[in-house]
């Protein structure tokens, strides 16, 4: 017998006393006793493991646990409980399955719990221990009842021998949903129960209970959230989650003056690797020759903003020329991506009333200036961000320098590890519930 293997049921069929032959099952099949439901049906087509001990087929409860059950035999009360999360499912006479809240207790109406003794009307069933697990002899139940598994509700039921089948009230086949727990358990619940399970930590989508982590040598794994801390302790880094939690800190990383394929693509690769996004304020003059880079930005969920056609200081231009700088760039971006940019970054952060009045979109400034154009030093850029960053910051960088692309390889995972969600400028305004107006300037959104 293997250690750590827990045992749930023993199936043993003892034929009539006059026939001293004991037949036992392969994988839970009860041979020669067709009216017994076989164990393989219990788990609704999932393969389970069994082995034989002293002529009994033992089913490995670990298999049931994998599908969301806790199986416990209470020797004192002689109660078999198959528990899923906070609800317990027990077996009542006549095959009805009752549930009760373990918190509210057994008195909880309308759920009624019964112990195995009830099945057999006062007769005790036999049990024994293997490696600390209590196993029940099915043949000790056999004189009193039949055992079956109801896959629709994933519960075991028993009903009494000799009763007409009409005494067994099959449970309605309610539509079911598979739910997931952060520790990897899965559960099939009736659709009407989904909300209740969500309230106690279950999720409808597997992606809600998993996280992707990466290693320094660029390996990538997906694990259940319950395992994440252990992986971080081993040096893995989490990537950004697929969904943004408005209650958690977030920042908008922005890059100006590109696209410049050699460096912009490096930054895009880093964003993609960590499942993050940023906002690129592009120049129309560079965008028109680099459609592929813009399409990649769009594909990664990045925002593309307008940084004018060729980087003039807008405050020195007539309103007509400002319009032309912005309009021409919007058209180029729209021709490539199919959408007009919804944010403008005026070169040098310079704007006045004229700029505001013709902009037609919010003016996005910054709260953290990395001065990457000046230092051209990755460490200094990293320090500029990581020493100051806080919730709602807009971080200014330029995607045209190798030193900035190098810094981004550190900054992006470091922000995620520190608990920041990397969002676009539009997302920042959306999740902070701070709608932006055309022509108004924003240097952070908190
Ligand atoms: Zn610029």
């Amino acid at each position: 017998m293997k250690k750590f293997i827990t045992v749930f049921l023993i199936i043993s069929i003892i034929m009539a006393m006059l026939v001293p032959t004991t037949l036992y099952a392969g994988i839970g099949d009860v041979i020669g006793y067709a009216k017994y439901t076989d164990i393989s049906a219990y788990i609704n087509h999932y393969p389970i493991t069994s082995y034989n001990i002293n002529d009994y087929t033992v089913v490995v409860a670990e298999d049931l646990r994998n599908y969301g059950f806790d199986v416990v035999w209470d020797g004192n009360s002689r109660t078999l409980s198959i528990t899923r999360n906070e609800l317990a499912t027990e077996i009542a006479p006549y095959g009805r399955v009752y549930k009760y809240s373990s918190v509210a207790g057994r008195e909880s109406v309308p759920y009624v719990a019964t112990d195995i003794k009830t099945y057999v009307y006062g007769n005790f069933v036999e049990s024994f221990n293997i490696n600390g697990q209590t196993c029940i002899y099915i043949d000790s139940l056999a004189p009193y009842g039949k055992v079956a598994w109801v896959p629709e509700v994933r519960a075991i039921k028993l009903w009494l021998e000799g009763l007409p089948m009409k005494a067994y009230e099959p449970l309605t086949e309610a539509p079911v949903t598979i739910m997931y727990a952060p520790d990897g358990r899965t559960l099939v619940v009736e659709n009407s129960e989904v909300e209740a399970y969500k309230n106690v930590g279950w999720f409808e989508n597997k992606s809600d209970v998993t996280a992707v982590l990466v290693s320094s040598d660029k390996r990538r794994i997906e694990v259940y959230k319950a395992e994440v801390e252990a992986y971080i302790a081993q040096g893995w880094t989490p990537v950004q989650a697929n969904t943004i939690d408005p209650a958690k800190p977030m920042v908008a990383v922005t890059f100006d003056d590109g696209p410049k394929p050699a460096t912009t693509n490096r930054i895009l690769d880093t964003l993609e690797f960590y499942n993050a996004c940023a906002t690129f304020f592009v120049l129309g003059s560079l965008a028109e020759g680099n459609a592929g880079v813009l399409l990649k930005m769009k594909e990664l969920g990045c925002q593309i903003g307008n940084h004018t056609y060729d980087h003039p200081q807008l405050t020195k231009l007539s309103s007509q020329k400002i319009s032309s700088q912005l309009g021409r760039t919007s058209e180029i971006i729209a021709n490539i991506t199919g959408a007009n940019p919804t944010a403008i970054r005026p070169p040098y952060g310079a704007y006045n009333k004229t700029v505001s009045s013709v902009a037609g979109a919010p003016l996005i400034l910054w709260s953290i200036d990395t001065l990457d154009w000046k230092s051209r030093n990755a460490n200094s850029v990293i320090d500029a961000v990581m020493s100051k960053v806080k919730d709602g910051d807009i971080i200014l960088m330029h995607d045209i320098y190798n030193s900035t692309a190098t810094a981004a390889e550190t900054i992006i995972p470091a922000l995620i590890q520190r608990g920041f969600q990397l969002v676009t400028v539009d997302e920042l305004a959306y999740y902070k519930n701070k709608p932006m107006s055309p022509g108004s300037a924003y240097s952070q959104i908190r």
Side-chain angles (χ1 to χ4, degrees):
M1 284 163 290
K2 293 165 188 170
K3 214 172 174 186
F4 303 118
I5 289 183
T6 53
V7 178
F8 163 53
L9 277 177
I10 294 200
I11 301 295
S12 158
I13 298 309
I14 301 176
M15 303 301 280
M17 296 290 272
L18 294 173
V19 185
T21 309
T22 301
L23 294 175
Y24 34 101
I27 300 180
D29 286 331
V30 179
I31 299 166
Y33 212 141
K35 53 188 174 178
Y36 276 72
T37 305
D38 75 34
I39 293 259
S40 61
Y42 291 178
I43 42 127
N44 203 12
H45 309 304
Y46 292 112
I48 58 169
T49 315
S50 70
Y51 57 97
N52 284 299
I53 298 172
N54 295 337
D55 295 348
Y56 296 104
T57 298
V58 177
V59 179
V60 181
E62 198 60 43
D63 287 334
L64 288 170
R65 291 212 161 85
N66 286 342
Y67 301 110
F69 289 95
D70 267 325
V71 183
V72 176
W73 171 256
D74 181 343
N76 292 323
S77 67
R78 307 190 68 77
T79 304
L80 175 70
S81 71
I82 300 148
T83 316
R84 54 181 198 190
N85 204 26
E86 93 292 8
L87 294 175
T89 302
E90 289 197 353
I91 310 141
Y94 311 109
R96 299 184 69 163
V97 177
Y98 293 88
K99 294 178 215 162
Y100 70 100
S101 158
S102 58
V103 178
R106 287 165 179 254
E107 288 73 30
S108 172
V109 178
Y111 300 128
V112 178
T114 50
D115 69 29
I116 290 243
K117 272 192 290 190
T118 312
Y119 299 161
V120 292
Y121 284 0
N123 293 286
F124 285 99
V125 297
E126 292 176 63
S127 68
F128 65 96
N129 282 297
I130 298 175
N131 289 344
Q133 303 298 320
T134 301
C135 308
I136 304 159
Y137 287 104
I138 292 294
D139 65 333
S140 73
L141 291 171
Y144 313 108
K146 294 194 272 189
V147 186
W149 175 255
V150 189
E152 306 90 84
V153 294
R154 305 186 71 73
I156 283 178
K157 78 178 161 59
L158 245 104
W159 68 97
L160 295 181
E161 190 75 67
L163 287 170
M165 280 309 285
K166 65 182 178 183
Y168 158 53
E169 295 177 26
L171 292 145
T172 48
E173 292 200 20
V176 294
T177 296
I178 299 173
M179 301 200 76
Y180 302 89
D183 60 4
R185 285 174 297 154
T186 60
L187 197 55
V188 179
V189 306
E190 290 175 23
N191 286 358
S192 60
E193 297 179 301
V194 166
E195 288 306 313
Y197 275 90
K198 279 184 183 172
N199 289 335
V200 291
W202 290 81
F203 295 85
E204 271 186 275
N205 300 309
K206 191 178 179 188
S207 61
D208 291 333
V209 296
T210 60
V212 175
L213 297 120
V214 291
S215 63
S216 53
D217 58 355
K218 303 290 179 198
R219 280 176 297 148
R220 199 175 177 87
I221 49 163
E222 187 172 10
V223 304
Y224 286 102
K225 283 182 177 169
E227 303 172 301
V228 165
E229 289 306 318
Y231 275 91
I232 290 173
Q234 291 167 33
W236 290 78
T237 308
V239 308
Q240 178 151 314
N242 282 326
T243 48
I244 300 299
D245 181 349
K248 291 182 179 163
M250 58 187 86
V251 290
V253 177
T254 67
F255 296 95
D256 289 6
D257 295 1
K260 181 181 172 190
T263 45
T264 307
N265 283 332
R266 275 185 66 195
I267 291 166
L268 289 170
D269 287 347
T270 305
L271 289 167
E272 184 172 25
F273 188 68
Y274 292 103
N275 199 35
C277 61
T279 303
F280 292 86
F281 290 100
V282 302
L283 293 175
S285 57
L286 296 176
E288 59 192 353
N290 290 301
V293 184
L294 265 68
L295 289 171
K296 182 73 179 176
M297 291 171 183
K298 185 187 168 192
E299 182 197 325
L300 298 185
C302 290
Q303 184 178 347
I304 300 167
N306 189 332
H307 196 41
T308 74
Y309 184 78
D310 55 11
H311 215 270
Q313 187 170 328
L314 295 177
T315 50
K316 293 180 176 171
L317 301 186
S318 66
S319 70
Q320 201 181 14
K321 284 195 170 160
I322 297 168
S323 278
S324 160
Q325 280 281 335
L326 296 174
R328 193 175 170 190
T329 303
S330 282
E331 203 179 312
I332 291 163
I333 293 171
N335 282 340
I336 295 168
T337 66
N340 279 308
T342 54
I344 293 165
R345 174 162 284 156
Y348 317 105
Y351 69 101
N352 55 20
K353 280 183 181 171
T354 314
V355 174
S356 287
S357 67
V358 302
L363 307 175
I364 307 303
L365 306 179
W366 52 86
S367 52
I368 292 182
D369 189 349
T370 60
L371 298 174
D372 58 340
W373 58 274
K374 197 170 171 184
S375 72
R376 309 285 180 95
N377 177 292
N379 285 334
S380 129
V381 176
I382 294 164
D383 185 61
V385 175
M386 301 312 297
S387 68
K388 293 179 204 155
V389 63
K390 54 189 184 297
D391 187 24
D393 271 332
I394 298 174
I395 299 166
L396 171 64
M397 292 194 266
H398 298 81
D399 53 319
I400 55 173
Y401 305 116
N402 265 315
S403 49
T404 298
T406 301
E409 288 167 1
T410 297
I411 289 169
I412 289 163
L415 287 171
I416 295 168
Q417 190 126 31
R418 209 184 272 185
F420 289 101
Q421 304 169 97
L422 275 63
V423 294
T424 66
V425 169
D426 277 358
E427 286 170 336
L428 186 59
Y430 174 79
Y431 288 115
K432 294 293 184 189
N433 201 19
K434 298 275 168 67
M436 299 186 289
S437 339
S440 295
Y442 302 87
S443 49
Q444 80 275 310
I445 304 172
R446 311 193 205 278

